[in-house]
Structures are given as structure tokens and as C-alpha cells.
Amino acid sequence: MRAGSMGVARRQAIEQQIQVGIAFDAEDFVEVSQVHLMADTESLGEAGVEYLESIAALPEEQRRVRVPTVTDPRGIDLCAYQKLNQPEQFAQLERRTIAALSAMDILMTDTCINYQTIMAPVRGEHLAFGDTGSTIYANSVCGARSNFEGGPAALAAALTGRVPRYGCHLDRGRRGTHVFEIKNRPQSLSDWGALGALVGRHTGSYWTVPVISGIDSSPTSDELKHFGAALASYGSVPLFHMLGVTPEAADLHSLFDQHPPQPEVITRADIDDFYTSFGRHDDQVDVVVFAAPQLSMIEMLGLARRLEGRRVHHKTALLIATSPENKSACDRMGITEIIESSGAILLKGVCFYQMYARELGEANGWKRLMSNSAKLVNIISGYGYQPVLATTEACIEAAIKGRM
């Protein structure tokens, strides 16, 4: 590949990976079995799309990815962008991106929950995952091995079929560094997100591996999804261990080379204080968002049951994002009809903060945002919103009443 006999795209990709490997003192490469590619159009811009098109224009044997590669959420739902007042130029950029990626044999799955909907990784499997939420879930819950591979790095891995062996690919990169003792088990998805945020704030480094104790029974996949997504968002952490739950965490002492450190205690009061930090105002809510991560079928059914026979307030928008596969299943099962009959907008293949969120807010006059996602409320204030974290039930009630 480096010699160029497999084409310019693979030569450029392996050269980039060699430089990354040198930077992180990697001794060699490791082959990966699948890639999860972040390449939303807001991040790509015109230059990024042109780069993808240059690869797509190469002969077939030079442009095709070497391992199964799936995509993260897109920036535009081509079936819904007009009702959200998103401009045609964004949609055109999206169409060009889809055409280029498809020419490279990349599967347009458009989801951040590929571990729930496409092909769940298995323990010890080496991956090149890009989305922080998918990476931390694959590493921690599945016991697979991946670093955070941003868009260019994940694309390079797709073209070469390998990544530099450092960080979470190494046994020593998966050893515990901190212990957190949870005194009160989280009760809701937003609680799990709040807990992830608190742990992330206490670690705050890519090279830390928090170990969670005190969880007396296994959380659900959705609970771990919200916990991991928030932890990765607030702490830049790609891996956690949860005693008695995650596959590498049989007991505390096996996770540390020396005696485990004293645990940092997190109580219910700490979680309550986290909610309070966003403020509580008896004020109009402009938009309620369920996204980041996209919703599972279980979450979709739960929202449908809470919205059935009710109507979203005329001054409030309710946006719900799920994967294209889950959207198709919701269509078939009648869940979509129940949700959309309430006035909610059901989006497929997108995630709110990747949808040109600032422009979206300006076009629709959205400022006050409410969500059950700790990850989303962490990110979205940077796009000009005033976010509030709340439970799923509280978010639905706010959407119906038009007030927080």
C-alpha cells in the first residue's frame, strides 16, 4: 500500500496511519474487522465532500473499502429537511456525500447505535469506531477494542483494513485508573446519563479508565448506552469497567496492576445537583429533543405509549431521532403513526447536534431546549441553545404543555 501499487487513496491512508502510530509509540498495526465512520456534512464541508468524491472517482479496485464500513448519523434527513426549514444547499451536499460514500462500498446505515441495530462487536474484536458513544459501548459493554477514530482516521482504516496498535487495543491501555462507588442506583435513562457525566467530569482524560462499583444488577442496553455516551462526552473517555456487569470486570483487583485506589463516592444528591445545574424555569420550551444517542425500538415504543392520544403544544417542537432500520420497523408496527399523530417529528438517520444545529435553531426560533440526553445538553449550548436535562416523562409533559 505504501508503495502505491494499490492506488493513491490507500497510499495516503497508510501514510497517515504510520504518522499516527509514530505519535503514539505504536509498535505495529492491528487488523480491524469493521469500521464505523463519522462523516456528517456539517463537519465535512465542501472541501471534505470534494475529497470523498476524488476517492469515489478512482477505479473500483482502488476506491472500495477493505472491511465492512458503516456510517454514523447524517446531517440531513432527506425526507424531513424541508419541514425543519433547512436549506436546499445542505440537502445537495448530503446527496453528493451519499453518492461518494456509496461508490466506496460504504454501507449507509446512518446510526450511532450500530452496536444495537447492525452488528454488535464481540469480546476481543479489533475495530475502528468513530462515534464516541459507539466506541465506548463497544469497548466497555462488548469487550471489543477500538480507539476514538475520527472521520479521516476511520476512513483510512476502512481503506487499509488496519489501525496503529495503541491505547485501547493494548492490554495495558485497558487497566483501571479510578474507582467510583455508586451509592444509589440510577432510576431513569437521564439518571444514567447524569451519572456518566459526573464520572466523566472526575476523570477528564482519554487515558483514564474508570471502574464503577455499587451497581447491584445489570443495567439494560439503553441504560448503558446513555451512561457511556455521557461519560465519553464529558470525560473524553473511551472505556469503562462496571463490576459484575461488563465482560472484563469480574472483580476489582483484577483490573489494577497494584492496589486499587480509594473510591470516589457518587450519591443521589450528586445526581440531583447535576440536574439542578441546568436551571429550572417555569418558562416556555421551544424544542424537546430525543436524540444523542439515537433511540432504540424499546425507547420508541415507550415514547409512543406516552404520546398516544395527546397533542404536542403548538408553540413547541418535539423531535425524535432513530436509525433508518428502527424507523422502518416503527412504520411496520404502527409506532410511527402514533408518534406523528401527536405532532412530533420523527427523524431517521440523523442526530440533532450533527444537523447544523445553530442554523436549525435560528431558522425555527429555537432557544430553550429540553432533553433526556446528558450528552446532548452538554454539546448543544455551544450552538446557542439554553438546555435543560430532564427525565423522559418530564420532557414529554413539557412538549405537551409547552412549558418546562
Side-chain angles (χ1 to χ4, degrees), residues 4 39 43 61 72 85 91 101 105 115 121 126 164 167 170 301 304 312 332 360 402 404:
S43 298
E61 68 276 8
D72 203 43
N85 299 315
L101 294 174
D105 260 10
Y115 50 85
H126 291 275
L170 301 170
L301 178 61
V312 174
R332 176 170 56 85
L360 198 59
M404 294 186 184

Short mmCIF file of all heavy atoms in Angstrom, two decimals, residues 4 39 43 61 72 85 91 101 105 115 121 126 164 167 170 301 304 312 332 360 402 404:
data_model
loop_
_atom_site.label_atom_id
_atom_site.label_comp_id
_atom_site.label_asym_id
_atom_site.label_seq_id
_atom_site.Cartn_x
_atom_site.Cartn_y
_atom_site.Cartn_z
N GLY A 4 2.28 2.37 -3.25
CA GLY A 4 1.38 2.93 -4.23
C GLY A 4 0.79 1.94 -5.22
O GLY A 4 0.00 2.33 -6.08
N ALA A 39 -18.96 11.05 9.27
CA ALA A 39 -18.71 11.91 8.11
C ALA A 39 -19.95 12.73 7.81
O ALA A 39 -20.45 12.75 6.69
CB ALA A 39 -18.32 11.06 6.90
N SER A 43 -19.55 18.71 9.36
CA SER A 43 -18.12 18.56 9.65
C SER A 43 -17.29 18.51 8.36
O SER A 43 -16.19 19.08 8.30
CB SER A 43 -17.89 17.28 10.46
OG SER A 43 -18.55 17.35 11.70
N GLU A 61 -11.34 -0.99 -7.96
CA GLU A 61 -10.47 -1.75 -7.08
C GLU A 61 -9.67 -0.84 -6.15
O GLU A 61 -9.15 -1.28 -5.12
CB GLU A 61 -9.53 -2.66 -7.88
CG GLU A 61 -8.48 -1.94 -8.71
CD GLU A 61 -8.99 -1.49 -10.08
OE1 GLU A 61 -10.21 -1.59 -10.33
OE2 GLU A 61 -8.17 -1.04 -10.90
N ASP A 72 -22.12 6.79 10.59
CA ASP A 72 -22.72 7.48 11.73
C ASP A 72 -23.90 8.33 11.21
O ASP A 72 -24.10 8.44 10.00
CB ASP A 72 -21.64 8.36 12.36
CG ASP A 72 -21.90 8.70 13.82
OD1 ASP A 72 -22.30 7.78 14.56
OD2 ASP A 72 -21.68 9.85 14.22
N ASN A 85 -37.19 23.56 7.83
CA ASN A 85 -36.67 24.82 7.27
C ASN A 85 -35.17 24.79 7.03
O ASN A 85 -34.48 25.81 7.17
CB ASN A 85 -37.04 26.01 8.19
CG ASN A 85 -38.53 26.18 8.34
OD1 ASN A 85 -39.28 26.13 7.37
ND2 ASN A 85 -38.99 26.36 9.57
N ALA A 91 -29.06 19.95 1.68
CA ALA A 91 -29.53 18.67 1.14
C ALA A 91 -28.69 18.24 -0.06
O ALA A 91 -28.39 17.05 -0.23
CB ALA A 91 -31.00 18.78 0.75
N LEU A 101 -19.79 8.11 -0.80
CA LEU A 101 -19.58 7.01 0.14
C LEU A 101 -20.11 5.70 -0.42
O LEU A 101 -19.49 4.64 -0.25
CB LEU A 101 -20.25 7.34 1.48
CG LEU A 101 -19.66 8.53 2.26
CD1 LEU A 101 -20.51 8.84 3.48
CD2 LEU A 101 -18.22 8.26 2.67
N ASP A 105 -18.40 1.55 -1.50
CA ASP A 105 -18.97 0.34 -0.87
C ASP A 105 -19.19 0.52 0.63
O ASP A 105 -19.23 -0.46 1.38
CB ASP A 105 -18.11 -0.91 -1.11
CG ASP A 105 -18.66 -1.77 -2.23
OD1 ASP A 105 -19.57 -1.29 -2.93
OD2 ASP A 105 -18.18 -2.89 -2.41
N TYR A 115 -24.16 -0.75 17.31
CA TYR A 115 -24.00 -1.90 18.19
C TYR A 115 -25.35 -2.47 18.63
O TYR A 115 -25.42 -3.61 19.10
CB TYR A 115 -23.18 -1.50 19.42
CG TYR A 115 -23.67 -0.25 20.10
CD1 TYR A 115 -24.69 -0.29 21.03
CD2 TYR A 115 -23.12 0.98 19.79
CE1 TYR A 115 -25.16 0.86 21.64
CE2 TYR A 115 -23.58 2.14 20.38
CZ TYR A 115 -24.60 2.08 21.31
OH TYR A 115 -25.06 3.23 21.90
N PRO A 121 -20.30 -5.83 18.19
CA PRO A 121 -18.96 -6.40 18.30
C PRO A 121 -18.91 -7.48 19.39
O PRO A 121 -19.80 -7.57 20.24
CB PRO A 121 -18.09 -5.20 18.71
CG PRO A 121 -18.91 -3.99 18.39
CD PRO A 121 -20.34 -4.41 18.56
N HIS A 126 -11.07 -6.38 17.22
CA HIS A 126 -10.44 -5.07 16.98
C HIS A 126 -11.26 -4.30 15.95
O HIS A 126 -11.61 -4.83 14.89
CB HIS A 126 -9.00 -5.25 16.52
CG HIS A 126 -8.09 -5.77 17.59
ND1 HIS A 126 -7.48 -4.94 18.51
CD2 HIS A 126 -7.70 -7.03 17.88
CE1 HIS A 126 -6.74 -5.67 19.33
NE2 HIS A 126 -6.86 -6.94 18.98
N PRO A 164 -3.17 1.64 13.85
CA PRO A 164 -2.00 1.51 14.73
C PRO A 164 -2.43 0.89 16.07
O PRO A 164 -3.48 1.19 16.60
CB PRO A 164 -1.53 2.96 14.92
CG PRO A 164 -2.13 3.73 13.79
CD PRO A 164 -3.43 3.05 13.49
N GLY A 167 -3.20 2.44 22.78
CA GLY A 167 -4.41 2.76 23.56
C GLY A 167 -5.24 1.54 23.90
O GLY A 167 -4.74 0.56 24.48
N LEU A 170 -4.40 -2.30 23.37
CA LEU A 170 -3.41 -2.96 24.20
C LEU A 170 -3.99 -3.34 25.56
O LEU A 170 -4.81 -2.61 26.12
CB LEU A 170 -2.21 -2.03 24.42
CG LEU A 170 -1.47 -1.55 23.17
CD1 LEU A 170 -0.48 -0.45 23.55
CD2 LEU A 170 -0.77 -2.71 22.48
N LEU A 301 -41.04 2.70 21.41
CA LEU A 301 -42.33 2.22 21.89
C LEU A 301 -42.76 2.98 23.14
O LEU A 301 -43.93 3.36 23.29
CB LEU A 301 -42.27 0.72 22.17
CG LEU A 301 -43.55 0.09 22.72
CD1 LEU A 301 -44.71 0.23 21.73
CD2 LEU A 301 -43.32 -1.39 23.05
N ALA A 304 -44.10 6.32 22.16
CA ALA A 304 -45.41 6.19 21.52
C ALA A 304 -46.51 6.02 22.56
O ALA A 304 -47.59 6.62 22.45
CB ALA A 304 -45.40 5.02 20.54
N VAL A 312 -48.86 17.61 20.87
CA VAL A 312 -47.76 18.50 21.19
C VAL A 312 -48.23 19.94 21.09
O VAL A 312 -48.98 20.32 20.20
CB VAL A 312 -46.57 18.25 20.24
CG1 VAL A 312 -45.46 19.26 20.46
CG2 VAL A 312 -46.04 16.83 20.43
N ARG A 332 -43.69 -0.23 10.25
CA ARG A 332 -44.39 -1.52 10.11
C ARG A 332 -45.27 -1.83 11.31
O ARG A 332 -46.35 -2.40 11.18
CB ARG A 332 -43.34 -2.62 9.91
CG ARG A 332 -43.89 -4.04 9.84
CD ARG A 332 -42.81 -5.00 9.42
NE ARG A 332 -41.64 -4.97 10.27
CZ ARG A 332 -41.52 -5.65 11.41
NH1 ARG A 332 -42.53 -6.40 11.84
NH2 ARG A 332 -40.41 -5.58 12.12
N LEU A 360 -30.29 25.47 12.46
CA LEU A 360 -31.62 24.91 12.71
C LEU A 360 -32.36 25.73 13.75
O LEU A 360 -33.55 26.03 13.60
CB LEU A 360 -31.46 23.46 13.19
CG LEU A 360 -32.66 22.52 13.13
CD1 LEU A 360 -33.18 22.39 11.71
CD2 LEU A 360 -32.27 21.15 13.67
N GLY A 402 -46.04 22.81 26.58
CA GLY A 402 -45.30 23.95 26.02
C GLY A 402 -44.48 24.69 27.04
O GLY A 402 -43.95 25.76 26.76
N MET A 404 -41.62 24.22 30.56
CA MET A 404 -40.76 23.35 31.36
C MET A 404 -41.39 23.13 32.75
O MET A 404 -42.08 24.01 33.26
CB MET A 404 -39.37 23.98 31.53
CG MET A 404 -38.61 24.08 30.22
SD MET A 404 -36.93 24.66 30.46
CE MET A 404 -36.40 24.79 28.76
#
